[in-house]
Amino acid sequence: MEVILDVTDLHIEFHDHDLPETAVEDFDLMLGKGEIVGIVGESGSGKSMSALAIAGLLNRHAIKKTGRIMFEGVDLLTCDRKTLRSFQGDEISIIFQEPMTSLNPVKNIGWQVEEALFIHHKEIKKEERKKRAIEMLKAVGLENAEKVYKMYPHELSGGMRQRVMIAAAMIGNPKILIADEPTTALDVTVQAQIVELLKKINRERGTSIIFISHDLSLVSQLCERVIVMQQGNIVESGSTAEVFRKPRHQYTKKLIAAIPKIEL
Ligand SMILES: Nc1ncnc2c1ncn2[C@@H]1O[C@H](COP(=O)(O)OP(=O)(O)OP(=O)(O)O)[C@@H](O)[C@H]1O
Ligand SMILES: [Mg+2]
């Protein structure tokens, strides 16, 4: 399998206060082309910080990062800003739990979906941008894409907003899509639809996906491989089926035991 992303020994430390705080201690991830990898772990275990580092979004001075994040022969931790920016949102995209905070409330949906094209592909003319945005909105399952294009974030349901976020993240046809709890704020039916959509994107475009979730059952539906994190460390990783069927680490066993069982 062709490796598209190779993260080794990633360490992230915050220096906002007197004492440094370690968010991620020792994170490794090898992501194959077209592969979907899940990251699970309790709140505060370092899932989002690892994801943000990969997406190139942890660039404050007070954040110290060591290790390597290799993408297309470039180390994203040490490359210059211009190179990093050329990847962000174009080659590597990220979507979050609550689209309302990522979408700009005063801009219409068309603007939000076209933004990455506007930044990274200035050569694409206005009409063509619009055409691609509408195609993308259709591809993420929004019927009436022409109408949605002109609407504003507050006029859409949570599920529609997450689809818009996915359209915006996918418009540049990135090689990697990072989804940080993209379904947590949605009801169960819509969650399942978003997972289906991610599967479809992976199947049809070959996009590699990093899927972060608290929901082990969604992870087992979507991901071939899973990483389990606890307190900034990876405590277990392997094929999803194997890890969930035969967890080796005590912490993974606890996570699995915590899945609510429906009593009939
Ligand atoms: N600005 C900051 N200063 C100090 N520590 C921080 C800062 N931001 C985050 N952290 C720490 O980083 C650690 C990892 O946080 P992260 O957001 O990656 O957790 P998570 O696994 O995504 O949790 P959740 O499931 O709740 O989203 C946390 O323990 C947190 O205390
Ligand atoms: Mg998080």
Side-chain angles (χ1 to χ4, degrees):
M1 185 174 51
E2 192 185 328
V3 173
I4 190 145
L5 178 80
D6 191 1
V7 185
T8 43
D9 297 330
L10 178 64
H11 186 103
I12 305 170
E13 220 172 70
F14 287 87
H15 289 256
D16 290 313
H17 310 288
D18 291 346
L19 289 175
E21 195 165 330
T22 303
V24 175
E25 205 148 41
D26 190 4
F27 181 88
D28 295 281
L29 167 65
M30 211 187 259
L31 181 67
K33 195 168 186 295
E35 191 182 25
I36 309 183
V37 172
I39 305 181
V40 301
E42 70 200 345
S43 189
S45 57
K47 306 183 298 295
S48 293
M49 293 305 142
S50 307
L52 288 169
I54 294 167
L57 294 173
L58 279 189
N59 288 315
R60 282 193 296 118
H61 246 347
I63 307 177
K64 290 218 162 51
K65 294 160 295 176
T66 57
R68 296 203 308 163
I69 302 178
M70 298 303 295
F71 174 73
E72 308 217 308
V74 176
D75 183 355
L76 302 182
L77 280 187
T78 53
C79 71
D80 59 88
R81 286 218 158 203
K82 193 163 165 263
T83 310
L84 188 63
R85 267 198 226 114
S86 73
F87 291 139
Q88 276 174 357
D90 194 45
E91 299 277 29
I92 304 178
S93 281
I94 185 163
I95 56 168
F96 302 100
Q97 179 172 341
E98 189 25 83
M100 209 50 192
T101 55
S102 318
L103 293 170
N104 185 336
V106 299
K107 301 284 189 185
N108 69 18
I109 300 305
W111 185 91
Q112 333 246 3
V113 175
E114 285 174 23
E115 194 186 11
L117 282 186
F118 189 74
I119 295 171
H120 295 284
H121 300 279
K122 292 213 165 50
E123 74 283 359
I124 299 173
K125 300 273 181 307
K126 196 163 173 264
E127 276 314 300
E128 174 66 17
R129 264 205 322 264
K130 179 172 181 182
K131 192 172 142 251
R132 291 200 197 181
I134 289 176
E135 274 167 16
M136 199 65 231
L137 288 168
K138 285 184 185 152
V140 297
L142 288 161
E143 286 155 35
N144 296 321
E146 280 87 358
K147 189 171 159 223
V148 172
Y149 181 92
K150 293 186 207 133
M151 291 167 84
Y152 288 81
H154 72 270
E155 299 178 282
L156 306 179
S157 70
M160 288 170 87
R161 282 202 286 265
Q162 194 53 282
R163 287 180 195 270
V164 168
M165 280 308 298
I166 295 171
M170 289 304 302
I171 189 97
N173 210 14
K175 300 200 173 74
I176 301 173
L177 176 67
I178 304 172
D180 188 354
E181 309 210 34
T183 64
T184 307
L186 306 170
D187 72 51
V188 189
T189 331
V190 184
Q191 274 184 1
Q193 291 168 0
I194 296 293
V195 165
E196 278 312 310
L197 173 58
L198 293 175
K199 269 191 194 165
K200 177 173 160 247
I201 286 171
N202 168 262
R203 199 173 54 234
E204 291 176 359
R205 297 171 181 250
T207 318
S208 306
I209 299 178
I210 300 174
F211 182 75
I212 300 174
S213 179
H214 277 116
D215 190 325
L216 300 196
S217 90
L218 289 183
V219 169
S220 67
Q221 281 170 49
L222 185 64
C223 309
E224 298 127 70
R225 215 147 54 76
V226 66
I227 286 174
V228 184
M229 290 188 79
Q230 184 190 30
Q231 294 178 357
N233 290 283
I234 294 177
V235 294
E236 186 156 354
S237 70
S239 94
T240 311
E242 197 130 306
V243 168
F244 288 174
R245 202 175 332 114
K246 270 193 261 156
R248 272 174 296 165
H249 196 279
Q250 202 51 38
Y251 176 68
T252 316
K253 290 181 187 163
K254 224 175 67 190
L255 272 185
I256 293 167
I259 301 174
K261 303 268 188 310
I262 300 167
E263 299 287 346
L264 292 174

Short mmCIF file of all heavy atoms in Angstrom, two decimals, residues 29 90 97 145 155 209-210 216 218 239 245:
data_model
loop_
_atom_site.label_atom_id
_atom_site.label_comp_id
_atom_site.label_asym_id
_atom_site.label_seq_id
_atom_site.Cartn_x
_atom_site.Cartn_y
_atom_site.Cartn_z
N LEU A 29 1.47 7.62 13.13
CA LEU A 29 0.37 7.22 12.25
C LEU A 29 0.88 7.10 10.82
O LEU A 29 1.48 8.02 10.28
CB LEU A 29 -0.76 8.27 12.30
CG LEU A 29 -1.83 8.18 11.22
CD1 LEU A 29 -2.64 6.90 11.34
CD2 LEU A 29 -2.76 9.39 11.29
N ASP A 90 -6.42 22.22 0.65
CA ASP A 90 -6.37 21.81 -0.75
C ASP A 90 -5.95 20.35 -0.83
O ASP A 90 -6.65 19.53 -1.40
CB ASP A 90 -5.39 22.70 -1.51
CG ASP A 90 -5.55 22.54 -3.01
OD1 ASP A 90 -6.71 22.55 -3.48
OD2 ASP A 90 -4.54 22.41 -3.71
N GLN A 97 -16.66 19.09 14.52
CA GLN A 97 -17.94 18.68 15.12
C GLN A 97 -19.07 19.66 14.83
O GLN A 97 -20.14 19.26 14.42
CB GLN A 97 -17.74 18.58 16.63
CG GLN A 97 -18.98 18.20 17.38
CD GLN A 97 -18.65 17.92 18.84
OE1 GLN A 97 -17.50 17.68 19.18
NE2 GLN A 97 -19.64 17.94 19.69
N ALA A 145 -29.29 21.87 -4.98
CA ALA A 145 -27.98 22.50 -4.74
C ALA A 145 -27.97 23.97 -5.17
O ALA A 145 -27.35 24.79 -4.50
CB ALA A 145 -26.90 21.71 -5.47
N GLU A 155 -29.87 29.01 7.89
CA GLU A 155 -31.09 28.53 7.24
C GLU A 155 -31.09 27.01 7.02
O GLU A 155 -32.05 26.46 6.52
CB GLU A 155 -31.27 29.23 5.89
CG GLU A 155 -31.41 30.74 6.02
CD GLU A 155 -31.54 31.42 4.67
OE1 GLU A 155 -30.52 31.57 3.98
OE2 GLU A 155 -32.67 31.78 4.31
N ILE A 209 -8.88 8.97 4.74
CA ILE A 209 -9.64 9.67 5.77
C ILE A 209 -9.13 9.31 7.17
O ILE A 209 -8.86 8.15 7.47
CB ILE A 209 -11.15 9.32 5.67
CG1 ILE A 209 -11.71 9.76 4.30
CG2 ILE A 209 -11.96 9.96 6.82
CD1 ILE A 209 -13.18 9.44 4.07
N ILE A 210 -9.00 10.33 8.01
CA ILE A 210 -8.74 10.12 9.44
C ILE A 210 -10.04 10.49 10.15
O ILE A 210 -10.49 11.63 10.05
CB ILE A 210 -7.58 11.01 9.95
CG1 ILE A 210 -6.29 10.68 9.19
CG2 ILE A 210 -7.38 10.81 11.46
CD1 ILE A 210 -5.12 11.61 9.51
N LEU A 216 -17.63 4.11 19.03
CA LEU A 216 -16.88 2.96 18.54
C LEU A 216 -17.65 2.20 17.47
O LEU A 216 -17.06 1.57 16.60
CB LEU A 216 -16.53 2.01 19.69
CG LEU A 216 -15.67 2.57 20.83
CD1 LEU A 216 -15.11 1.44 21.66
CD2 LEU A 216 -14.56 3.46 20.35
N LEU A 218 -19.58 3.51 15.12
CA LEU A 218 -19.36 4.21 13.85
C LEU A 218 -17.96 3.92 13.32
O LEU A 218 -17.75 3.69 12.13
CB LEU A 218 -19.53 5.73 14.01
CG LEU A 218 -20.95 6.25 14.23
CD1 LEU A 218 -20.93 7.78 14.30
CD2 LEU A 218 -21.90 5.80 13.13
N SER A 239 -6.01 -3.54 13.19
CA SER A 239 -7.24 -3.62 12.40
C SER A 239 -8.42 -3.46 13.34
O SER A 239 -8.42 -3.98 14.47
CB SER A 239 -7.30 -4.94 11.64
OG SER A 239 -8.02 -5.89 12.39
N ARG A 245 -12.50 -6.84 18.76
CA ARG A 245 -12.86 -8.20 19.16
C ARG A 245 -11.95 -8.70 20.28
O ARG A 245 -12.40 -9.33 21.23
CB ARG A 245 -12.80 -9.15 17.95
CG ARG A 245 -13.64 -10.38 18.16
CD ARG A 245 -13.75 -11.33 16.95
NE ARG A 245 -13.62 -10.70 15.65
CZ ARG A 245 -12.59 -10.93 14.81
NH1 ARG A 245 -11.60 -11.75 15.15
NH2 ARG A 245 -12.55 -10.35 13.64
#
